[in-house]
Amino acid sequence: MNESLILLLIETILIGMVPRAMPIFSAALGETVDQSAGILNLGVEGMMLMGAITGLLVDYYYHNIVFAFLAAGAVGILFGAIHGVLVITMKLDQTVIGTALWFVGWGLSGVIYAAIFGISSAPPTVQTLGHIYIPYLSSIPFFGRFIFGEDPLVYILIVTLIVVDYFLFHTKQGLNLRTVGQDPRVAEIMGVNPYLYRYAAVIFGGLMAGIGGAYLSLAIVGSFYFDLTAGMGFIAVALVYFGKWKPWRVFAGTLIFGAVYVFYFMMENIYPKIPYEFYQMLPYVVTLIMILIIGTKARAPASLALPYVKGE
Amino acid sequence: MNMEKSIKEPIVKMEGIVKTFPNVVANDGIDFEIYPKEIHALLGENGAGKTTLMNILYGLYKPDRGTIYIYGKKVNIRNPSDAQKLGIGMVHQHFSLIPYFNVLENISIGLKELKINLNTNKIKEKLDRIMQEYGLQVDPEKKIEEMSVGEMQRVEILKLLFRGANILILDEPTSALTPQEVEELFKSLKSLVNQDKSIVIITHKLYEVFEISDRITVLRKGKVTYKGFTKDTEQEALVEAMVGRNVVFEEFNRKETNYTGSLKVIGLTVYGKGKIPIVNKVSFELKRGEILGIAAVAGNGEKELIDALFGLIKANEGKIFLDDKQIDNKPTKTRTQLGLSYIPGERLTRGVAAGLSLSFNSILHDHWSDPYIKNSLLNENEIRKFARKIISSFYVNANSEETLAKQLSGGNIQKFIVGREILREPKYILAVNPTSGLDVGATQMVRQALIEMRNSGAGILLSSEDLDELVSLSDRIIVMYKGEIVGSFKRGEFDKLRIGSLMMGKKLN
Amino acid sequence: MNILKIIQIVFFIFLGLLISSVFFILFKLSPLSGLGTLLYEGFGTENGWYNTLRMTIPLLIISVGLSVPFTAKFWNIGAQGQFIIGEIFATWIGLTFANIVPPLLDIALAMVVGFVGGALWAMPPTIMKLYSGANEIITTLMMNFVAVYLLLWIVSGPLEGAQAKLVGAPTSAPIPAMDMLPLIPGTQISSGFLISLIIAIVFFFLLRYTKFGYELKLIGEGQNVASYSGINIKRQIILSMIISGGISGVAGMVYVYGITSTLIPQFFSDVSTSFGYVGIPVALMASLNPLGIIFTSIFLGGILNGAFVMEAIYSVPIDLVITIYGLIMIFSLIGIMFDLSKILRRKKIK
């Protein structure tokens, strides 16, 4: 391979990785807030799927992408609230409930899809989200498209990232939320209502998972099929550990994944000698490697996955 | 301290407080007053209802009945922030601090005067001012997990002052402090009172009451049994109010023992983070038929030493011999089989499997061998028999041996653990705070049982936060400071002040 | 566990079923008739029972295997991958040795090798958890995806059958009929069902009456008390995952040798073969009791079978069962946690 080809390769990865990273990133940002408040949400995968099908349906019938995302977010919030009732109020095991919610979302997204489009018909398509090309800047060679030519939601998510990071580490409410994740008893004594913050966290987690799912169906695939997310929700959870509960690190981790997805799509064509199944394994293998690298160095919020029982 | 205080109106008045928990009446019609500028000792045995009463005042519990007046006005305190608004602050026995956060962050949690932005500079300025004013110093940037207990306590008090508390409630503030740290704490409490604060200290230690308080309220079984000025109070009357009769602690029947065999520790070292030794070249010999006390302020390596002896953490250097058998390279299982028992400090998470029955809990250390395993299957008859033996010998209040451990109260769990570790007839027992949380009768029973074990030839390594317990039970006491043994005393030479100095790291002159 | 509690759990499970039945409305069926049809197709006819038991075989084996690490609160979500690897290993044995060794030996060999395959696949997440604290739910799940793609590659590459090449739908060549597990005489049920029952009974004794089962319970109660008791936690967790992964591998072998006879590709979106996932609610509903799992696996296997039929007849997608399983998990957990006597007592006090 000569130099210009490699440069082209890198540019393609740069352009492609940001949108590819966004579904996982959106969900992972929600999960970061979830876990910072002590809630382990293993149902993200299901919530993403519900967001994906909701977004697609709304866009397919009403041709309004803003409504589509809002609807996906609303369904995510609904799931988040149910999650909250089960693990915060009823104090059920977070591992089991997370798995159960994954099942519910996984099955239900397929059921809704089949109810409307039928089991065996060709998947419906919608136009994918358009990109904003900032004049002049986006035509800067190499970096132009990458930084100044993304779709609007990318910029919205980046702003959300900045806001969430500021919230968690530079506001009183963020400190309160992290306190609830460390020790809800202390929070309560200090006049902070742990239940309130935990509910806020699960609702935000649901919202972001729903948006992430809709991003996948509306901005990347332009369609929906059974189990569209294929484990992205779980990769998001893994990335929260990798990012050590710091939004910017989580973001960096998701970009690596964006790059991995683009890389394997490209390599399937460039180097087809390796069976494509092995390229498809890549995201999962990379996740395993990332988990292995971060290992015990990650220090989770002290009350992660533990219910808070008042007065104990 | 002087009469004029008593003439003033009380700033806090609690009337007819009743609070019931499942199976127990914690507060049974209690009247309690706090007057301005006083140190009020709330005295009573474990389980007398002191902490419950103060938690009600602090808004953590809702009373079933009763009224609270603050400055003569009837109030409804629904939660701690209501209490804080009324100027009430409380330091719990288990500190309400996040170890992972620094002082500034800990102070800012739920702080009303902050709107949104976490303005650390503003907080730091105010904290500096308060530290100046009350003479309590801490490093605002230091993480709590890097602090000593004394420092943490200062942070807790500063946190309350920061929120404008006028009434400070301290729950067993001296339980993990050395005599010298206690001295220092008392000095700051007195200076706080001089600056118009009122303080309640919850305690069960008599000498503290006389040293520091102006007024005393004693609770027993949820009822007030004594009220009065400290200067008018006789010690005997106080004891009687606390325990219901004038208990004379009987001297234990301490037999001369002469057994062969010992638990020998040579140069034991355990490293923490960054190769800093937590336990540093510790050597001693625990003979059979003696009780060796370890005196240490919590966090000076005494816990790690005992965990390393039992094989729960790895000793990086040094040797351990049990009756001349080297065991430092052996797993916990082997050590228990050789006759080592351990009464751990964390009774709920370590001492029992909370979700399993007492039967299953009775064979934690012995489930691999005869008689509890027969043809490689669990022998349930024998297991039940042993569990029943523990329950009856140690008066564990449980319906049956099939009751789940978590259904017992803390004191009964502790009795069960002590019973199990003793009745398996070990040669050596490691015991950490074996009587904490027990009532007088149970405390006496456990101490008696330990002495009997000693008399019949067991070697007991006793680590206790209660210096009085160490002094009354031990044949020898070693003092640990920063992971090293810094002093050793024989029975008859015990001197609590000298032991306390060594625990603080002060050299003896 | 007393009878009242069991009734209570069953009640909650049916509550979960009732709520799931609402989704039949989407397919122009009334909820109750939809639910009725589902249960009828699973349990109402002789043929339905045969198919239900067919589903039950791999499900029962996998769920019993899952109950072992679950007892130690080690959440193995990777049974699906372990099942797939077991299928691959066993099929490979079958295709290699079928005409060389006697059938019984081939079956025994396939079972052993299937066990080894499943156990091997369970090891990386286990070791990652024990030595670097990696969340086992995520790692075992990632291993599932890797296994799915490995299977896709194997059936379209190394083990692709000549027949499949012609048709263009990748599967392996079939295991010779004489090497398949025989049917139980007089029925259409594979003797794999007997194997699964034996495994359940053996595991009941393993968990209830042995030192190993006792130690897993202790580990499930927490790291602190388990290490205090002197248990070798790492060793027992590894052992539990060898057993669980291995048993899932055996389920894969039984599935190929008892039911499909060929290696068929499975996408992870494919609910009809998601025994590894379905095994989770099956095991949890039975409170991890292997004897209880016999009933819960037949129950959920029947629902799975009923859903198959409903997909064919009423175009209700089989994905519905995954939702049902999710809801049943939630409701059975509520049923297990919910302490009726406590609530009654509280009312009395007031």
Side-chain angles (χ1 to χ4, degrees), chain A residues 29-39 168-169 174-182 198 201 240 245-247 301-302 304:
Chain A
L29 193 60
E31 181 79 18
T32 307
V33 174
D34 256 328
Q35 293 199 10
S36 297
I39 303 285
L168 281 179
F169 297 101
L175 179 72
N176 290 353
L177 185 130
R178 287 187 293 132
T179 305
V180 171
Q182 292 286 344
R198 287 198 159 172
V240 176
W245 300 269
K246 301 230 162 51
L304 185 61

PDB file of all heavy atoms in Angstrom, chain A residues 29-39 168-169 174-182 198 201 240 245-247 301-302 304:
ATOM      1  N   LEU A  29     -23.320   7.535  27.458  1.00  0.00           N
ATOM      2  CA  LEU A  29     -23.393   8.753  28.266  1.00  0.00           C
ATOM      3  C   LEU A  29     -24.524   8.625  29.288  1.00  0.00           C
ATOM      4  O   LEU A  29     -24.365   8.990  30.461  1.00  0.00           O
ATOM      5  CB  LEU A  29     -23.626   9.964  27.353  1.00  0.00           C
ATOM      6  CG  LEU A  29     -23.424  11.336  27.987  1.00  0.00           C
ATOM      7  CD1 LEU A  29     -22.012  11.496  28.503  1.00  0.00           C
ATOM      8  CD2 LEU A  29     -23.739  12.437  26.972  1.00  0.00           C
ATOM      9  N   GLY A  30     -25.645   8.089  28.836  1.00  0.00           N
ATOM     10  CA  GLY A  30     -26.749   7.845  29.766  1.00  0.00           C
ATOM     11  C   GLY A  30     -26.339   6.864  30.850  1.00  0.00           C
ATOM     12  O   GLY A  30     -26.605   7.068  32.033  1.00  0.00           O
ATOM     13  N   GLU A  31     -25.647   5.815  30.438  1.00  0.00           N
ATOM     14  CA  GLU A  31     -25.204   4.798  31.394  1.00  0.00           C
ATOM     15  C   GLU A  31     -24.211   5.387  32.395  1.00  0.00           C
ATOM     16  O   GLU A  31     -24.194   4.996  33.564  1.00  0.00           O
ATOM     17  CB  GLU A  31     -24.576   3.617  30.634  1.00  0.00           C
ATOM     18  CG  GLU A  31     -24.096   2.471  31.516  1.00  0.00           C
ATOM     19  CD  GLU A  31     -25.224   1.561  31.986  1.00  0.00           C
ATOM     20  OE1 GLU A  31     -26.305   1.597  31.374  1.00  0.00           O
ATOM     21  OE2 GLU A  31     -25.021   0.838  32.979  1.00  0.00           O
ATOM     22  N   THR A  32     -23.383   6.320  31.942  1.00  0.00           N
ATOM     23  CA  THR A  32     -22.428   6.953  32.853  1.00  0.00           C
ATOM     24  C   THR A  32     -23.163   7.661  33.989  1.00  0.00           C
ATOM     25  O   THR A  32     -22.788   7.535  35.160  1.00  0.00           O
ATOM     26  CB  THR A  32     -21.572   7.981  32.085  1.00  0.00           C
ATOM     27  OG1 THR A  32     -20.995   7.344  30.955  1.00  0.00           O
ATOM     28  CG2 THR A  32     -20.472   8.534  32.966  1.00  0.00           C
ATOM     29  N   VAL A  33     -24.234   8.384  33.626  1.00  0.00           N
ATOM     30  CA  VAL A  33     -25.005   9.088  34.650  1.00  0.00           C
ATOM     31  C   VAL A  33     -25.710   8.073  35.549  1.00  0.00           C
ATOM     32  O   VAL A  33     -25.694   8.183  36.772  1.00  0.00           O
ATOM     33  CB  VAL A  33     -26.011  10.054  33.997  1.00  0.00           C
ATOM     34  CG1 VAL A  33     -26.923  10.678  35.043  1.00  0.00           C
ATOM     35  CG2 VAL A  33     -25.267  11.136  33.230  1.00  0.00           C
ATOM     36  N   ASP A  34     -26.308   7.056  34.924  1.00  0.00           N
ATOM     37  CA  ASP A  34     -26.929   5.961  35.672  1.00  0.00           C
ATOM     38  C   ASP A  34     -25.982   5.429  36.743  1.00  0.00           C
ATOM     39  O   ASP A  34     -26.303   5.376  37.921  1.00  0.00           O
ATOM     40  CB  ASP A  34     -27.241   4.792  34.712  1.00  0.00           C
ATOM     41  CG  ASP A  34     -28.727   4.706  34.371  1.00  0.00           C
ATOM     42  OD1 ASP A  34     -29.543   5.048  35.225  1.00  0.00           O
ATOM     43  OD2 ASP A  34     -29.048   4.290  33.246  1.00  0.00           O
ATOM     44  N   GLN A  35     -24.808   5.011  36.284  1.00  0.00           N
ATOM     45  CA  GLN A  35     -23.865   4.355  37.198  1.00  0.00           C
ATOM     46  C   GLN A  35     -23.300   5.333  38.216  1.00  0.00           C
ATOM     47  O   GLN A  35     -23.010   4.955  39.347  1.00  0.00           O
ATOM     48  CB  GLN A  35     -22.740   3.689  36.407  1.00  0.00           C
ATOM     49  CG  GLN A  35     -23.226   2.522  35.580  1.00  0.00           C
ATOM     50  CD  GLN A  35     -22.116   1.595  35.162  1.00  0.00           C
ATOM     51  OE1 GLN A  35     -20.990   1.695  35.630  1.00  0.00           O
ATOM     52  NE2 GLN A  35     -22.419   0.674  34.258  1.00  0.00           N
ATOM     53  N   SER A  36     -23.133   6.592  37.824  1.00  0.00           N
ATOM     54  CA  SER A  36     -22.634   7.576  38.790  1.00  0.00           C
ATOM     55  C   SER A  36     -23.599   7.701  39.961  1.00  0.00           C
ATOM     56  O   SER A  36     -23.200   8.021  41.070  1.00  0.00           O
ATOM     57  CB  SER A  36     -22.450   8.937  38.126  1.00  0.00           C
ATOM     58  OG  SER A  36     -21.474   8.841  37.119  1.00  0.00           O
ATOM     59  N   ALA A  37     -24.884   7.450  39.696  1.00  0.00           N
ATOM     60  CA  ALA A  37     -25.868   7.493  40.780  1.00  0.00           C
ATOM     61  C   ALA A  37     -26.053   6.125  41.420  1.00  0.00           C
ATOM     62  O   ALA A  37     -26.939   5.941  42.248  1.00  0.00           O
ATOM     63  CB  ALA A  37     -27.205   8.002  40.248  1.00  0.00           C
ATOM     64  N   GLY A  38     -25.249   5.151  41.017  1.00  0.00           N
ATOM     65  CA  GLY A  38     -25.310   3.841  41.657  1.00  0.00           C
ATOM     66  C   GLY A  38     -26.247   2.844  40.998  1.00  0.00           C
ATOM     67  O   GLY A  38     -26.539   1.801  41.564  1.00  0.00           O
ATOM     68  N   ILE A  39     -26.734   3.168  39.799  1.00  0.00           N
ATOM     69  CA  ILE A  39     -27.647   2.241  39.116  1.00  0.00           C
ATOM     70  C   ILE A  39     -26.918   1.566  37.962  1.00  0.00           C
ATOM     71  O   ILE A  39     -26.392   2.237  37.062  1.00  0.00           O
ATOM     72  CB  ILE A  39     -28.860   2.990  38.545  1.00  0.00           C
ATOM     73  CG1 ILE A  39     -29.599   3.751  39.635  1.00  0.00           C
ATOM     74  CG2 ILE A  39     -29.790   2.018  37.827  1.00  0.00           C
ATOM     75  CD1 ILE A  39     -30.434   2.911  40.540  1.00  0.00           C
ATOM     76  N   LEU A 168     -21.702  16.844  36.123  1.00  0.00           N
ATOM     77  CA  LEU A 168     -21.225  15.845  37.085  1.00  0.00           C
ATOM     78  C   LEU A 168     -20.118  16.388  37.975  1.00  0.00           C
ATOM     79  O   LEU A 168     -20.062  16.100  39.157  1.00  0.00           O
ATOM     80  CB  LEU A 168     -20.730  14.593  36.358  1.00  0.00           C
ATOM     81  CG  LEU A 168     -21.777  13.603  35.865  1.00  0.00           C
ATOM     82  CD1 LEU A 168     -21.103  12.437  35.158  1.00  0.00           C
ATOM     83  CD2 LEU A 168     -22.633  13.089  37.019  1.00  0.00           C
ATOM     84  N   PHE A 169     -19.225  17.198  37.385  1.00  0.00           N
ATOM     85  CA  PHE A 169     -18.025  17.543  38.150  1.00  0.00           C
ATOM     86  C   PHE A 169     -17.928  19.006  38.551  1.00  0.00           C
ATOM     87  O   PHE A 169     -17.016  19.391  39.264  1.00  0.00           O
ATOM     88  CB  PHE A 169     -16.780  17.116  37.367  1.00  0.00           C
ATOM     89  CG  PHE A 169     -16.730  15.635  37.170  1.00  0.00           C
ATOM     90  CD1 PHE A 169     -17.092  15.053  35.966  1.00  0.00           C
ATOM     91  CD2 PHE A 169     -16.388  14.801  38.224  1.00  0.00           C
ATOM     92  CE1 PHE A 169     -17.096  13.680  35.798  1.00  0.00           C
ATOM     93  CE2 PHE A 169     -16.382  13.429  38.072  1.00  0.00           C
ATOM     94  CZ  PHE A 169     -16.744  12.863  36.855  1.00  0.00           C
ATOM     95  N   GLY A 174     -24.588  17.748  40.494  1.00  0.00           N
ATOM     96  CA  GLY A 174     -23.746  16.659  40.022  1.00  0.00           C
ATOM     97  C   GLY A 174     -23.037  15.975  41.181  1.00  0.00           C
ATOM     98  O   GLY A 174     -22.964  14.743  41.256  1.00  0.00           O
ATOM     99  N   LEU A 175     -22.541  16.799  42.092  1.00  0.00           N
ATOM    100  CA  LEU A 175     -21.877  16.245  43.284  1.00  0.00           C
ATOM    101  C   LEU A 175     -22.882  15.425  44.097  1.00  0.00           C
ATOM    102  O   LEU A 175     -22.558  14.320  44.558  1.00  0.00           O
ATOM    103  CB  LEU A 175     -21.313  17.387  44.132  1.00  0.00           C
ATOM    104  CG  LEU A 175     -20.611  16.957  45.420  1.00  0.00           C
ATOM    105  CD1 LEU A 175     -19.269  16.309  45.109  1.00  0.00           C
ATOM    106  CD2 LEU A 175     -20.404  18.131  46.361  1.00  0.00           C
ATOM    107  N   ASN A 176     -24.094  15.959  44.234  1.00  0.00           N
ATOM    108  CA  ASN A 176     -25.131  15.217  44.958  1.00  0.00           C
ATOM    109  C   ASN A 176     -25.373  13.856  44.305  1.00  0.00           C
ATOM    110  O   ASN A 176     -25.469  12.830  44.980  1.00  0.00           O
ATOM    111  CB  ASN A 176     -26.449  16.001  44.951  1.00  0.00           C
ATOM    112  CG  ASN A 176     -26.369  17.246  45.814  1.00  0.00           C
ATOM    113  OD1 ASN A 176     -25.380  17.444  46.519  1.00  0.00           O
ATOM    114  ND2 ASN A 176     -27.385  18.075  45.749  1.00  0.00           N
ATOM    115  N   LEU A 177     -25.458  13.863  42.981  1.00  0.00           N
ATOM    116  CA  LEU A 177     -25.727  12.622  42.257  1.00  0.00           C
ATOM    117  C   LEU A 177     -24.594  11.618  42.475  1.00  0.00           C
ATOM    118  O   LEU A 177     -24.831  10.438  42.732  1.00  0.00           O
ATOM    119  CB  LEU A 177     -25.903  12.919  40.768  1.00  0.00           C
ATOM    120  CG  LEU A 177     -26.316  11.737  39.904  1.00  0.00           C
ATOM    121  CD1 LEU A 177     -27.514  12.105  39.044  1.00  0.00           C
ATOM    122  CD2 LEU A 177     -25.193  11.266  39.007  1.00  0.00           C
ATOM    123  N   ARG A 178     -23.368  12.110  42.400  1.00  0.00           N
ATOM    124  CA  ARG A 178     -22.242  11.184  42.622  1.00  0.00           C
ATOM    125  C   ARG A 178     -22.207  10.698  44.061  1.00  0.00           C
ATOM    126  O   ARG A 178     -21.819   9.565  44.340  1.00  0.00           O
ATOM    127  CB  ARG A 178     -20.930  11.876  42.260  1.00  0.00           C
ATOM    128  CG  ARG A 178     -20.748  12.039  40.743  1.00  0.00           C
ATOM    129  CD  ARG A 178     -19.380  12.565  40.388  1.00  0.00           C
ATOM    130  NE  ARG A 178     -19.188  13.922  40.828  1.00  0.00           N
ATOM    131  CZ  ARG A 178     -18.119  14.359  41.493  1.00  0.00           C
ATOM    132  NH1 ARG A 178     -17.153  13.514  41.787  1.00  0.00           N
ATOM    133  NH2 ARG A 178     -18.020  15.611  41.872  1.00  0.00           N
ATOM    134  N   THR A 179     -22.640  11.538  44.987  1.00  0.00           N
ATOM    135  CA  THR A 179     -22.715  11.105  46.381  1.00  0.00           C
ATOM    136  C   THR A 179     -23.706   9.958  46.522  1.00  0.00           C
ATOM    137  O   THR A 179     -23.441   8.974  47.217  1.00  0.00           O
ATOM    138  CB  THR A 179     -23.150  12.274  47.287  1.00  0.00           C
ATOM    139  OG1 THR A 179     -22.260  13.366  47.078  1.00  0.00           O
ATOM    140  CG2 THR A 179     -23.135  11.868  48.745  1.00  0.00           C
ATOM    141  N   VAL A 180     -24.844  10.089  45.853  1.00  0.00           N
ATOM    142  CA  VAL A 180     -25.849   9.023  45.904  1.00  0.00           C
ATOM    143  C   VAL A 180     -25.253   7.719  45.382  1.00  0.00           C
ATOM    144  O   VAL A 180     -25.521   6.639  45.900  1.00  0.00           O
ATOM    145  CB  VAL A 180     -27.100   9.422  45.091  1.00  0.00           C
ATOM    146  CG1 VAL A 180     -28.047   8.248  44.948  1.00  0.00           C
ATOM    147  CG2 VAL A 180     -27.794  10.591  45.758  1.00  0.00           C
ATOM    148  N   GLY A 181     -24.391   7.821  44.361  1.00  0.00           N
ATOM    149  CA  GLY A 181     -23.744   6.619  43.827  1.00  0.00           C
ATOM    150  C   GLY A 181     -22.695   6.053  44.767  1.00  0.00           C
ATOM    151  O   GLY A 181     -22.444   4.854  44.768  1.00  0.00           O
ATOM    152  N   GLN A 182     -22.083   6.924  45.566  1.00  0.00           N
ATOM    153  CA  GLN A 182     -21.060   6.452  46.504  1.00  0.00           C
ATOM    154  C   GLN A 182     -21.699   5.879  47.763  1.00  0.00           C
ATOM    155  O   GLN A 182     -21.327   4.808  48.222  1.00  0.00           O
ATOM    156  CB  GLN A 182     -20.123   7.605  46.894  1.00  0.00           C
ATOM    157  CG  GLN A 182     -19.239   8.115  45.778  1.00  0.00           C
ATOM    158  CD  GLN A 182     -18.105   7.175  45.455  1.00  0.00           C
ATOM    159  OE1 GLN A 182     -17.783   6.277  46.226  1.00  0.00           O
ATOM    160  NE2 GLN A 182     -17.498   7.354  44.295  1.00  0.00           N
ATOM    161  N   ARG A 198     -31.714   9.176  41.934  1.00  0.00           N
ATOM    162  CA  ARG A 198     -31.636   7.915  41.205  1.00  0.00           C
ATOM    163  C   ARG A 198     -32.698   7.860  40.103  1.00  0.00           C
ATOM    164  O   ARG A 198     -32.427   7.386  39.004  1.00  0.00           O
ATOM    165  CB  ARG A 198     -31.766   6.731  42.169  1.00  0.00           C
ATOM    166  CG  ARG A 198     -30.513   6.561  42.997  1.00  0.00           C
ATOM    167  CD  ARG A 198     -30.400   5.198  43.628  1.00  0.00           C
ATOM    168  NE  ARG A 198     -28.995   4.943  43.962  1.00  0.00           N
ATOM    169  CZ  ARG A 198     -28.578   3.909  44.662  1.00  0.00           C
ATOM    170  NH1 ARG A 198     -29.425   3.016  45.092  1.00  0.00           N
ATOM    171  NH2 ARG A 198     -27.298   3.750  44.890  1.00  0.00           N
ATOM    172  N   ALA A 201     -31.549   9.917  37.292  1.00  0.00           N
ATOM    173  CA  ALA A 201     -30.504   9.228  36.542  1.00  0.00           C
ATOM    174  C   ALA A 201     -31.075   8.152  35.625  1.00  0.00           C
ATOM    175  O   ALA A 201     -30.697   8.062  34.447  1.00  0.00           O
ATOM    176  CB  ALA A 201     -29.485   8.614  37.506  1.00  0.00           C
ATOM    177  N   VAL A 240     -18.366   2.394  29.692  1.00  0.00           N
ATOM    178  CA  VAL A 240     -18.444   3.218  30.893  1.00  0.00           C
ATOM    179  C   VAL A 240     -17.344   2.808  31.871  1.00  0.00           C
ATOM    180  O   VAL A 240     -16.687   3.651  32.474  1.00  0.00           O
ATOM    181  CB  VAL A 240     -19.834   3.108  31.541  1.00  0.00           C
ATOM    182  CG1 VAL A 240     -19.883   3.882  32.850  1.00  0.00           C
ATOM    183  CG2 VAL A 240     -20.891   3.640  30.593  1.00  0.00           C
ATOM    184  N   TRP A 245     -16.026   6.232  34.294  1.00  0.00           N
ATOM    185  CA  TRP A 245     -17.121   7.110  34.724  1.00  0.00           C
ATOM    186  C   TRP A 245     -16.839   8.588  34.450  1.00  0.00           C
ATOM    187  O   TRP A 245     -17.396   9.464  35.049  1.00  0.00           O
ATOM    188  CB  TRP A 245     -17.458   6.867  36.206  1.00  0.00           C
ATOM    189  CG  TRP A 245     -17.882   5.449  36.390  1.00  0.00           C
ATOM    190  CD1 TRP A 245     -19.149   4.970  36.317  1.00  0.00           C
ATOM    191  CD2 TRP A 245     -17.047   4.304  36.612  1.00  0.00           C
ATOM    192  NE1 TRP A 245     -19.150   3.600  36.484  1.00  0.00           N
ATOM    193  CE2 TRP A 245     -17.873   3.169  36.674  1.00  0.00           C
ATOM    194  CE3 TRP A 245     -15.670   4.115  36.777  1.00  0.00           C
ATOM    195  CZ2 TRP A 245     -17.392   1.893  36.882  1.00  0.00           C
ATOM    196  CZ3 TRP A 245     -15.184   2.834  36.985  1.00  0.00           C
ATOM    197  CH2 TRP A 245     -16.046   1.750  37.030  1.00  0.00           C
ATOM    198  N   LYS A 246     -15.935   8.845  33.490  1.00  0.00           N
ATOM    199  CA  LYS A 246     -15.656  10.229  33.086  1.00  0.00           C
ATOM    200  C   LYS A 246     -16.153  10.402  31.652  1.00  0.00           C
ATOM    201  O   LYS A 246     -15.670   9.715  30.734  1.00  0.00           O
ATOM    202  CB  LYS A 246     -14.154  10.500  33.142  1.00  0.00           C
ATOM    203  CG  LYS A 246     -13.571  10.290  34.517  1.00  0.00           C
ATOM    204  CD  LYS A 246     -12.738  11.477  34.950  1.00  0.00           C
ATOM    205  CE  LYS A 246     -12.502  11.521  36.429  1.00  0.00           C
ATOM    206  NZ  LYS A 246     -11.997  10.267  37.002  1.00  0.00           N
ATOM    207  N   PRO A 247     -17.124  11.300  31.426  1.00  0.00           N
ATOM    208  CA  PRO A 247     -17.760  11.406  30.099  1.00  0.00           C
ATOM    209  C   PRO A 247     -16.774  11.553  28.941  1.00  0.00           C
ATOM    210  O   PRO A 247     -16.975  10.933  27.892  1.00  0.00           O
ATOM    211  CB  PRO A 247     -18.638  12.653  30.248  1.00  0.00           C
ATOM    212  CG  PRO A 247     -18.981  12.694  31.693  1.00  0.00           C
ATOM    213  CD  PRO A 247     -17.766  12.178  32.410  1.00  0.00           C
ATOM    214  N   PRO A 301     -18.326   3.434  41.329  1.00  0.00           N
ATOM    215  CA  PRO A 301     -18.991   4.085  42.457  1.00  0.00           C
ATOM    216  C   PRO A 301     -19.310   3.046  43.525  1.00  0.00           C
ATOM    217  O   PRO A 301     -19.768   1.946  43.220  1.00  0.00           O
ATOM    218  CB  PRO A 301     -20.274   4.635  41.832  1.00  0.00           C
ATOM    219  CG  PRO A 301     -19.922   4.869  40.407  1.00  0.00           C
ATOM    220  CD  PRO A 301     -18.957   3.793  40.044  1.00  0.00           C
ATOM    221  N   ALA A 302     -19.045   3.402  44.791  1.00  0.00           N
ATOM    222  CA  ALA A 302     -19.063   2.396  45.857  1.00  0.00           C
ATOM    223  C   ALA A 302     -20.414   1.710  46.027  1.00  0.00           C
ATOM    224  O   ALA A 302     -20.478   0.569  46.474  1.00  0.00           O
ATOM    225  CB  ALA A 302     -18.626   3.032  47.173  1.00  0.00           C
ATOM    226  N   LEU A 304     -22.599   1.041  43.553  1.00  0.00           N
ATOM    227  CA  LEU A 304     -23.124   0.605  42.261  1.00  0.00           C
ATOM    228  C   LEU A 304     -23.891  -0.707  42.413  1.00  0.00           C
ATOM    229  O   LEU A 304     -23.400  -1.653  43.020  1.00  0.00           O
ATOM    230  CB  LEU A 304     -21.984   0.431  41.253  1.00  0.00           C
ATOM    231  CG  LEU A 304     -22.420   0.094  39.829  1.00  0.00           C
ATOM    232  CD1 LEU A 304     -23.293   1.190  39.253  1.00  0.00           C
ATOM    233  CD2 LEU A 304     -21.220  -0.132  38.937  1.00  0.00           C
TER     234      LEU A 304
END
